Amino acid sequence: MQARSASGLLELWEHAGNCVGWRRGLRLLECALPGSDPDVLGDMDLGQRDWHLMRLLQALFGPRVEACGRCVHCGADIEVGFDLRDVNGDQPLPDAPPFRDSAGRRFRLPRIRDLMAISRLGDADVAELELLRRCATDDANDVDLAEVSH
């Protein structure tokens, strides 16, 4: 991935800047991986997506990240600084294996396609259950998703 020129950066901003949620991440991912099959990108889990987006960030602005914010709970100012090379590694992440919750139910990590699907749902509780349903790798009849979400 090459660092972009000023005009390329402006084009990227126009391409993804007005998008929200999963759409922005997907547009930026398309820039990070030009020519990739959209179906392959949609099936990428969020850890893999974020690895590629951090590589894009590094190519555009360098490896150093400096950020500040305010704690939503106590109002304290927060400052953070780190080097992307320390957290991102040199190779894309492999597919994450399914994991088990405390009750033994199996789940996979969410994928971009999952975010696309639940974004159409108007109710956050319904979206949460749908995301759990989509990520459950056990037989749907064996998983009580309402119990998982609480």
Side-chain angles (χ1 to χ4, degrees):
M1 180 179 323
Q2 299 289 327
R4 295 179 179 265
S5 65
S7 63
L9 186 55
L10 181 60
E11 181 181 331
L12 175 61
W13 179 262
E14 290 174 349
H15 184 65
N18 292 327
C19 297
V20 295
W22 66 266
R23 282 185 174 90
R24 178 176 290 158
L26 185 57
R27 293 296 173 252
L28 291 170
L29 189 60
E30 289 168 349
C31 293
L33 300 170
S36 293
D37 181 339
D39 286 333
V40 171
L41 296 181
D43 286 331
M44 190 177 287
D45 75 43
L46 301 185
Q48 294 167 328
R49 178 202 66 182
D50 291 350
W51 185 88
H52 289 288
L53 293 181
M54 284 194 285
R55 295 290 287 199
L56 178 63
L57 179 66
Q58 185 175 335
L60 293 171
F61 302 108
R64 189 77 188 148
V65 172
E66 301 283 341
C68 60
R70 185 171 310 269
C71 177
V72 296
H73 298 290
C74 69
D77 290 332
I78 302 169
E79 293 183 24
V80 64
F82 61 93
D83 190 307
L84 285 168
R85 296 171 293 196
D86 293 337
V87 296
N88 212 31
D90 293 330
Q91 298 296 318
L93 297 171
D95 288 339
F99 59 92
R100 292 187 183 275
D101 70 1
S102 61
R105 295 170 291 233
R106 292 174 39 125
F107 296 90
R108 62 168 172 76
L109 288 179
R111 297 182 179 135
I112 295 169
R113 190 175 313 286
D114 298 322
L115 297 182
M116 294 164 63
I118 67 167
S119 70
R120 298 178 187 104
L121 303 173
D123 181 281
D125 291 332
V126 172
E128 177 184 0
L129 289 174
E130 177 62 14
L131 182 60
L132 285 169
R133 186 194 66 72
R134 292 177 68 88
C135 294
T137 60
D138 294 324
D139 184 353
N141 295 327
D142 297 337
V143 179
D144 181 359
L145 295 178
E147 180 184 311
V148 174
S149 67
H150 292 52

